[in-house]
Amino acid sequence: MDDMEIVQELKSKGLPAFGNKQERLDRLFKHFGIPKPGSGAHKDKVVNKIELIKQKREERRAELNKLRKEKALKEAENEALGKKGDIDFLNMIEQKKFKQSLLFPHKSSRNMRLCVCVRKRPIFPKEEEEGENDSISCANPQIKVFESKLKVDGITKYVDQHVFTFDNTFNERESTEDVYRFALEPALDMIFNQGMVTIFAYGQTSSGKTFTMQGIQENSARQLFRLQEQLGPQTRFKIAFYEIYGGNCFDLLNEKAKVQILEDKNNNVVINGLVEEEVSSEMELVERINFAFEKRTTYSTVANNTSSRSHAICRISVVDEYDEVLGKLIVCDLAGSERAQDTKSNSRQRRIEGANINKSLLSLKECIRAMDSNGGHVPFRASKLTLSLRDSFKSRKFHNRVIMMACVCPGNSSSDHTLNTLRYADRLKSRKTTIKQYGRRHQGGKRAASSRRARV
């Protein structure tokens, strides 16, 4: 219909004829009850959108109700078990943990000049009652640390994840025997053939260093006497046990008598006055070790009621019938590392001890790095600890093997300490070694990127 026909039709029906053509048509369609072209399809589309929005809203409400019920059920379950940790953080951590206990089999330390291992201890019921969550996941050779944090708004929770790779990692379900079998046992026969094997336990206070070292010493005592049976009675064992506390050295097998760490005219390190006792059986060796541990210096700190405030060094020498030293096993239980900001409430004496401990641990790291990189100079005179262990890093007579056992606590409140421990252990060894074994693709990507930058 043209415009004139529409006007005439409107007038014939007694309808106003003002407006443009579309308005006149709409008026005419409305009079006859005819829907406007396309209006039904548009209405259906709008209705569908509204229905979809309603459906999504109901789904979100159902999901939130489900999460609330699951959270309430989990809280009730944890309360029955005596756990009081934050459920939201716990769920986020559980989703990111390793699903398997091993990514790769454990590696033997036999052919490693420096072996770096990490051991996670189990979380204690007392810690769970205090609201701690297990924030560490181990799957050899990797370990994940989860930091529980809040965003800037102070409400939104999230978990920051850190991943490290070492030669071996041991989770809370693996025993001290497992640690010993892969860490120390493969290298133990070296000490009968001009070898010096040194194992360190490093970590924060209450991370399980002393427990691990005592278990390793008991296992090594058993293995040493088995090896002696194969070699004959001409080989004998001598033990010396001393501690370094506050820059001084004390003999733990001789009523904590003070001894001096000196260098002779040939630049050999000698501990003047240190008593060496010969042991003839496994039981006697373990007894002397336990006796020395009981004499060790411990004090109460904010972190631990019985914190080890000294470095305890057990030295087991293998000698022949002419009293010539064939090799040595040195087991070093280091003092617990602490951050300066966490020791402010300690007494002045405890803070001075902490400063001395951290200084010696720093010098130990530099000595091990220099040994592993064959960098020439080893700065062993930086502390009494490294001075007494000079031959462990660079010896003209013995072949050296060093094993570092980093022990970590699983609680989320210890995440900062755990990260410091793992970073310390990670810096001991060149990252290239780890990448070569377990991350070839990543290493190739770095090489390709560096070559592209060089071409540019």
Side-chain angles (χ1 to χ4, degrees):
M1 299 175 66
D2 58 14
D3 194 38
M4 290 300 297
E5 291 175 342
I6 295 172
V7 172
Q8 290 177 2
E9 185 68 26
L10 287 171
K11 289 181 179 180
S12 66
K13 302 300 181 184
L15 298 173
F18 59 84
N20 56 32
K21 182 178 179 180
Q22 184 62 45
E23 291 174 344
R24 292 170 183 160
L25 275 173
D26 292 343
R27 200 175 297 125
L28 195 60
F29 289 151
K30 185 177 180 181
H31 175 74
F32 288 106
I34 301 172
K36 292 187 291 183
S39 63
H42 178 69
K43 182 178 179 181
D44 291 342
K45 188 175 181 180
V46 172
V47 170
N48 289 338
K49 284 186 178 180
I50 293 173
E51 293 297 328
L52 185 61
I53 291 170
K54 288 182 178 179
Q55 181 182 352
K56 289 183 177 179
R57 186 189 303 125
E58 293 300 324
E59 289 175 356
R60 286 197 303 271
R61 287 175 177 172
E63 185 66 24
L64 286 173
N65 289 332
K66 180 182 177 183
L67 291 175
R68 289 193 189 101
K69 289 179 180 178
E70 289 178 354
K71 182 178 178 180
L73 185 64
K74 190 71 175 177
E75 285 177 344
E77 181 182 342
N78 285 356
E79 186 176 354
L81 295 173
K83 301 178 182 180
K84 298 181 180 179
D86 189 286
I87 297 298
D88 296 325
F89 283 131
L90 180 62
N91 290 336
M92 285 187 277
I93 291 172
E94 288 296 331
Q95 293 174 4
K96 296 184 178 182
K97 281 187 174 182
F98 288 113
K99 304 306 178 186
Q100 65 271 44
S101 60
L102 291 174
L103 297 177
F104 293 93
H106 289 296
K107 293 193 302 182
S108 169
S109 64
R110 178 176 295 276
N111 298 320
M112 300 183 195
R113 190 177 184 190
L114 171 62
C115 179
V116 181
C117 304
V118 176
R119 187 185 192 189
K120 171 197 172 185
R121 71 159 171 82
I123 191 166
F124 299 142
K126 180 181 177 182
E127 293 173 321
E128 293 179 324
E129 291 174 3
E130 294 173 352
E132 295 279 356
N133 284 330
D134 188 347
S135 62
I136 295 178
S137 179
C138 287
N140 185 68
Q142 292 189 339
I143 181 170
K144 289 182 181 179
V145 182
F146 306 102
E147 283 189 284
S148 304
K149 293 184 176 181
L150 296 175
K151 290 188 177 180
V152 180
D153 58 13
I155 300 173
T156 308
K157 301 173 183 178
Y158 72 101
V159 170
D160 203 359
Q161 177 179 294
H162 306 267
V163 183
F164 296 86
T165 303
F166 296 97
D167 294 318
N168 285 308
T169 60
F170 300 93
N171 58 44
E172 67 275 19
R173 294 179 297 277
E174 295 178 276
S175 65
T176 304
E177 286 72 21
D178 296 324
V179 177
Y180 169 75
R181 189 167 69 254
F182 292 103
L184 181 58
E185 184 180 22
L188 200 60
D189 57 353
M190 281 184 57
I191 68 173
F192 292 88
N193 187 24
Q194 298 301 308
M196 177 175 286
V197 180
T198 307
I199 181 168
F200 296 94
Y202 172 80
Q204 74 177 92
T205 297
S206 75
S207 60
K209 301 184 303 298
T210 301
F211 175 83
T212 300
M213 286 297 101
Q214 285 182 316
I216 286 177
Q217 284 172 318
E218 291 176 4
N219 281 280
S220 59
R222 189 178 308 115
Q223 183 68 14
L224 285 174
F225 281 94
R226 287 177 184 169
L227 293 171
Q228 184 196 37
E229 291 176 0
Q230 299 174 8
L231 297 173
Q234 66 271 17
T235 56
R236 295 172 293 123
F237 299 110
K238 291 184 177 181
I239 181 174
F241 211 129
Y242 60 95
E243 71 170 358
I244 297 175
Y245 170 69
N248 297 312
C249 186
F250 302 94
D251 189 347
L252 296 179
L253 294 179
N254 188 23
E255 300 299 329
K256 297 188 74 170
K258 189 174 181 180
V259 295
Q260 290 184 312
I261 305 172
L262 305 171
E263 289 185 77
D264 61 16
K265 61 181 180 180
N266 297 319
N267 291 329
N268 295 317
V269 176
V270 178
I271 303 179
N272 188 32
L274 183 66
V275 173
E276 273 194 318
E277 297 183 5
E278 185 171 336
V279 290
S280 56
S281 67
E282 173 193 337
M283 186 178 297
E284 186 179 358
L285 177 56
V286 172
E287 180 187 348
R288 301 313 291 161
I289 290 171
N290 292 334
F291 173 81
F293 267 116
E294 292 176 0
K295 296 290 183 180
R296 189 178 178 187
T297 301
T298 59
Y299 286 109
S300 176
T301 65
V302 174
N304 189 358
N305 291 331
T306 57
S307 175
S308 301
R309 309 305 294 168
S310 66
H311 305 300
I313 298 99
C314 174
R315 188 180 72 194
I316 301 173
S317 302
V318 182
V319 297
D320 60 14
E321 65 268 27
Y322 306 107
D323 225 26
E324 289 291 327
V325 178
L326 301 176
K328 296 179 183 179
L329 169 64
I330 298 176
V331 181
C332 185
D333 182 12
L334 299 172
S337 61
E338 294 176 343
R339 298 183 307 172
Q341 67 187 64
D342 295 327
T343 61
K344 292 179 181 177
S345 56
N346 287 340
S347 65
R348 181 174 180 273
Q349 180 63 26
R350 300 290 86 77
R351 291 197 299 272
I352 293 174
E353 290 170 2
N356 288 329
I357 290 169
N358 290 339
K359 176 184 175 183
S360 61
L361 293 176
L362 178 61
S363 61
L364 174 63
K365 179 181 71 174
E366 296 305 319
C367 289
I368 294 176
R369 286 178 60 129
M371 180 208 76
D372 185 47
S373 61
N374 293 318
H377 174 65
V378 178
F380 61 90
R381 291 188 181 90
S383 72
K384 293 291 186 182
L385 172 66
T386 51
L387 179 61
S388 69
L389 298 174
R390 195 272 304 272
D391 288 342
S392 296
F393 314 119
K394 190 174 183 180
S395 175
R396 290 169 290 185
K397 183 178 179 181
F398 300 105
H399 304 291
N400 301 105
R401 289 289 185 275
V402 172
I403 301 162
M404 174 61 75
M405 180 62 61
C407 300
V408 293
C409 296
N412 57 282
S413 65
S414 300
S415 294
D416 289 344
H417 295 282
T418 298
L419 288 171
N420 287 339
T421 299
L422 296 178
R423 286 167 183 153
Y424 179 96
D426 193 47
R427 293 189 187 107
L428 292 176
K429 203 166 187 178
S430 173
R431 186 174 292 276
K432 292 184 292 184
T433 304
T434 300
I435 293 173
K436 183 178 180 181
Q437 292 291 336
Y438 299 106
R440 294 180 185 273
R441 294 180 182 176
H442 182 60
Q443 187 185 29
K446 285 190 173 181
R447 265 200 308 268
S450 62
S451 62
R452 284 196 297 271
R453 287 195 293 270
R455 285 198 298 270
V456 173

